Amino acid sequence: MLEDDVTPCLVGVATASGLPLFCRPPRPQLPFSLVGALHGVRLFGAAAGAELREAATPTASLAWAQYGNSLTLVALSPSPGPAGPALQRILQSALGTLVLILGQEELLPIRNVERLKRDLRGCFPLLDSLLRPRGGGGEGWGMGGPCWPLPPGTPRQALQERLQRFAAAAQTELGCLLCAGGVAWLGTAHWGALPDDDSAHLRALLATPPPPGGGAGVGVAARDVAVFLPNSSPKVPLRLLWLRLLPGVGAGLLCGPRPSLHHVIGQLVPQFWGPALEQLRGWARPRPPPLPPEVLGYLLIHRGRSQSGIVKGAGPAGALPPQLRPEALRELRTLLEPQICPKTGGQGPPQMRPKLCYLAFPTHTGCCLLRPGLTLLLLLPPGTPREPLNPTALNALNALGYG
């Protein structure tokens, strides 16, 4: 994590034994003694007749959630002051993620701790997504609602009818979703009837990259994943089929034992989506990524290659004018050169620890995010406080495709 990182940490503990089950993100790993102490504090409160759910210190905030006598989840935020609602959202979404992948009966109660620890590895990509700031303004963490409106000019009704016919041919009434770029475009009425939490978890699962070598069929990558819906079907598994139609565009089909994946990719996908591939390709052209609204300009250097941009409409009145921002970026890079490339002839240390630098000027604020092989310089409005710079830098990095 960054020196000024405010990314939360999520820990799972077996309630009865106090044994740690997982810690995300994996670095830095919390010491066993600290995990035991956090769990012990809650047990001590329970023994005294008090249910401890949140706590705050001058340097951190914490939240607990216990599920039966099996599983306790702990969320920690290194930012001072109360952060209860955000941490409680993380805990709620984390339990839903575990149920989605493993099913409620594998978690509550825990039958075999060592086997569960192995099975939990399949949940880590989704758990990690909970801990990344979502939204352009860093408005919090948790399972977001990755839905975009259709691109301008898209014949929505025709696409909706095609999606509905495809789901009907697959003989499923559980729902079908069309996705592009990791976000949802359009869903059938049955998908829209799913509980919001179930839909959010399924969309997050669809947004995770398929495993290497997961292709099936000519030009179609596919996955067939058993899922448990946290609210609708926490004990009975369903199937989520991911069907790659084009690079970055695919359909998610929620179904029961039928249809077979072979039938879907061999017959239904060519029949229903083959005639629409050219239209989909046009709709899926990448759009300029949105930067946080407070960014006035940026310079990104990634393994020797650089890209820059000046945001002309950004910033409040009196901020650095657009014509002066390129020179401000050059000046910022010159001032931070000793920290970016110390004693290495401009190449930077090979295993540099992530770092955030901050400089304040009368006309603007400079922010520099350093990672191995990557440097991001940001121009921000004058008087920008240091406290929220890390979420702003991470959101900008995600918008530029390097998150």
Side-chain angles (χ1 to χ4, degrees), residues 147-185:
C147 295
W148 277 355
L150 287 170
T154 303
R156 181 185 183 92
Q157 184 175 353
L159 189 59
Q160 180 80 55
E161 291 176 354
R162 183 179 297 275
L163 194 66
Q164 193 68 46
R165 293 198 307 270
F166 173 67
Q171 298 181 350
T172 177
E173 294 186 354
L174 295 172
C176 187
L177 187 73
L178 188 65
C179 306
V183 295
W185 264 2

Side-chain angles (χ1 to χ4, degrees), residues 1 5-9 30 34 38 54-64 74-84 87 387:
M1 289 192 287
D5 205 350
V6 294
T7 302
C9 178
L30 292 184
L34 178 57
L38 293 174
E54 300 173 12
T57 73
T59 58
S61 53
L62 304 91
W64 291 263
V74 187
L76 303 87
S77 173
S79 59
L87 295 183
E387 177 85 16

